[in-house]
């Protein structure tokens, strides 16, 4: 038995209570104990190093995923202090790792705290890990300390001499907390590191994945560094698009904080590439900084267009959406005391930042337009076209409405609706082709499952734009069936189903149709994705059954190409089994389709969420935009892998 401490003081009790609370209710501290929470541990540790970089003491951060899914984060900052903490009477580094909320706050003068999304500090990572090891290099010495389930296991001790300074943290996420998975996803982390490098100009993040090695045994490695900062970010968002101007950059600073903005228009129809960050956090729900930005853009473009006679007196004003069509922009503010609001705490509430952004953008953009008349005309021309298209689309919508096409009382003929009228209990399967639609109609539970077969290919909305998309029968039947309407009339509360399930074949065509549908939802009904209403069905790709048996019963279904050989290996007599490959949904009989793909108790659905809107937007436009080749390659490579939308 370990020796008892010879006395208790307040800090001991505080330590226990603090970290116990984290282990009891991890969701409160890191949002979830699913994959998001697991990845959040890494961000929490990396954020500390980024803070050190923001304070000007660190320029390189190196991250490793080890083969056992433990993580190391190393930086070349000042190193967490190791001296005795005046209040807690233990080394400061131990305070940082074991006392809740202590992260950063003790640093004193000149040490900025960016907070992070949950802003909880590394002690939370410690509480949720089976083991944590920290090495600090300071004052020519190297120190080590380690922890077991949040408790100090080996006290701080010197392990040798050191050149330079820095902090290195390794942690092993606790599988008893992260019960769903403890496996890290490379792309999720890489996307976040890329974003961080864009947002912190010059910062170098070196990322290694030791689970994947090349022929020489070197781990997969990527280096993220953006010498152009958010200007590089905008170029990245616009990759593969035809642009209308060179990226423009403005910055401003006052006592409340700093603002940086970069923007560039392209010929795209998208209005979703305007991303706002506060203290490096993607404020998905917007907020004051984004409001200030939008007002400035609309105002300045209208003023310029009027002043140059590009909008006549009789013309109506360009709307904000018109002015932002095809705009890629990054708004990055850094403030001392960010107020995060909203459902997911990703809406910035600080009112003082609105005028700072608005003035910076108004002044900067007006000056840019004045000095660069050629791109300025292209930008205004694009907005004017958007206005015309918007008016045409409204007319088209009014006409179709008159014809009752988008009227919810006239549901499309192809829809086999469910009998329940309770949206929260109802689901709709969007199925490729009439034959699969037929099987699905037989297989379903008509009480709560509706089937909408789509005939042929759906229009590529990224290229066609809203106006043309609305005149496509496939799209209008989809909109009508879902019931939310679209564009200015969109109302998520009118959704007739809270589970909208895309069910396509497990082949290249199916993947293509899925891509097109996801693009459609992402572009025109993103709120349904935000609400978690959009899903992807997972039909099996193989069935295994006994050879020559009269009983045609499938013994086992396989949903993943990679799992086939390992599953076959489990059967010790594989020679006696037949493997059937399902190319399409139509090859399964209705009972099989029900049991493998549609029955809530046994099926797996992938829920679509815009976790990483940056990547989603980019991939969608890269795949769905003008260039055909990258799209073909991508779809063939990822026929069953839909993770690119971070699902
Ligand atoms: C507070 C004070 C000082 C350094 C740090 C925090 C620090 C924390 C972390 C966490 C990860 N990497 C870090 N690097 C530095 C330094 C105080 C001083 O040297 O005067």
């Amino acid at each position: 038995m370990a020796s008892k401490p010879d006395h208790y003081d307040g800090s001991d009790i505080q330590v226990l209570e603090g970290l116990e609370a984290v282990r009891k209710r991890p969701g409160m501290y890191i949002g979830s104990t699913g994959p998001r929470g697991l990845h959040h541990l890494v961000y929490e540790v990396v954020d500390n190093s980024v803070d050190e970089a923001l304070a000007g003491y660190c320029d390189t951060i190196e991250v490793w995923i080890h083969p056992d899914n433990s993580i190391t984060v190393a930086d070349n900052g000042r190193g967490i202090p190791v001296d005795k903490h005046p209040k807690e009477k233990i080394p400061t580094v131990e305070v940082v790792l074991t006392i809740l909320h202590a992260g950063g706050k003790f640093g004193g003068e000149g040490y900025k705290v960016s907070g992070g999304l949950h802003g909880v500090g590394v002690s939370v990572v410690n509480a949720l890990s089976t083991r944590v090891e920290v090495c600090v290099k300071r004052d020519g010495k190297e120190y080590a300390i380690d922890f077991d389930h949040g408790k100090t296991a080996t006290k701080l001790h010197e392990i040798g001499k050191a050149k330079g300074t820095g902090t290195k943290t390794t942690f092993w996420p606790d599988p008893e907390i992260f019960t769903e998975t403890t496996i890290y996803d490379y792309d999720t982390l890489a996307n976040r590191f890329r974003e961080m490098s864009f947002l912190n100009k010059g910062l170098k993040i070196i990322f290694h994945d030791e689970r994947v090695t090349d022929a020489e045994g070197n781990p997969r490695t990527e280096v993220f560094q953006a010498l152009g900062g958010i200007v590089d970010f905008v170029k990245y968002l616009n990759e593969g698009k035809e642009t209308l101007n060179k990226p423009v950059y403005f910055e401003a600073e006052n006592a409340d904080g700093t603002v940086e903005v970069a923007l560039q228009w392209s010929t795209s129809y998208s209005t979703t590439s305007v991303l706002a960050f506060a203290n490096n956090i993607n404020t998905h729900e917007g907020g004051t900084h984004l409001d200030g930005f939008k007002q400035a853009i609309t105002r300045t473009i209208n003023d310029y267009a009027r002043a140059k006679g590009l909008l006549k007196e009789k013309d109506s004003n360009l709307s904000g959406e018109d002015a932002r069509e095809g705009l890629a922009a990054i708004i990055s503010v850094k403030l001392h005391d960010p107020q995060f609001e909203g459902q997911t705490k990703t809406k910035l509430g600080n009112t003082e930042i609105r005028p700072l952004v608005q003035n910076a953008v108004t002044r900067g953009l007006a000056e840019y337009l004045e000095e660069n008349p050629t791109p300025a005309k292209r930008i205004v021309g694009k907005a004017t076209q958007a206005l015309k298209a918007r008016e045409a689309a409204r007319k088209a919508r009014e006409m179709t409405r008159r014809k009752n096409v988008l009227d919810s009382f006239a549901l499309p003929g192809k829809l086999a609706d469910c009998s329940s009228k309770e949206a929260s209990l109802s689901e709709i399967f969007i199925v490729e082709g009439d034959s699969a639609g037929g099987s699905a109609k037989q297989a379903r539970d008509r009480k709560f499952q509706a089937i909408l077969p789509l005939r042929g290919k759906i229009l590529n909305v990224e290229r066609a734009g809203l106006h043309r998309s609305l005149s496509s029968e496939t799209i209008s039947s989809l909109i009508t069936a879902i019931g939310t309407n679209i564009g200015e009339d969109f109302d998520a509360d009118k959704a007739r189903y809270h589970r909208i399930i895309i069910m396509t074949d497990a082949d290249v065509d199916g993947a293509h149709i899925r891509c097109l549908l996801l693009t459609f939802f992402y572009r025109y009904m993103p709120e349904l994705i935000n609400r978690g209403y959009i899903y992807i069905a997972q039909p099996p790709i193989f069935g295994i059954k006994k050879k020559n048996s009269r009983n045609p019963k499938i013994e086992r279904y396989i949903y993943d190409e990679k799992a086939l050989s390992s599953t076959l290996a489990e059967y010790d007599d594989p020679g006696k089994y037949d493997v059937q490959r399902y190319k399409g949904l139509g090859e399964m009989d209705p009972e099989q389709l029900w049991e493998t793909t549609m029955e809530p108790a046994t099926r797996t659905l992938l829920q679509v969420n815009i976790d990483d809107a940056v990547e989603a937007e980019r991939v969608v436009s890269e795949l769905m935009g003008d260039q055909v080749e990258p799209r073909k390659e991508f779809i063939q490579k990822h026929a069953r892998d839909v993770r690119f939308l971070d699902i």
Side-chain angles (χ1 to χ4, degrees), residues 49-64:
S49 300
V50 172
D51 283 349
E52 188 68 0
L54 287 177
Y57 297 105
C58 156
D59 63 13
T60 305
I61 301 171
E62 199 159 358
V63 182
W64 290 261

Side-chain angles (χ1 to χ4, degrees), residues 44-53 57-58 73-81 92 96 103-109 111 122 138-139 166-169:
E44 204 58 60
V45 177
V46 172
D47 279 351
N48 285 287
S49 300
V50 172
D51 283 349
E52 188 68 0
Y57 297 105
C58 156
V73 179
D75 68 50
N76 63 349
R78 291 169 292 178
I80 305 181
T92 303
V96 176
K105 298 232 169 90
F106 55 89
E109 287 302 298
Y111 189 68
V122 270
R138 267 180 89 94
D139 313 321
T167 304
K168 184 168 86 179
T169 307

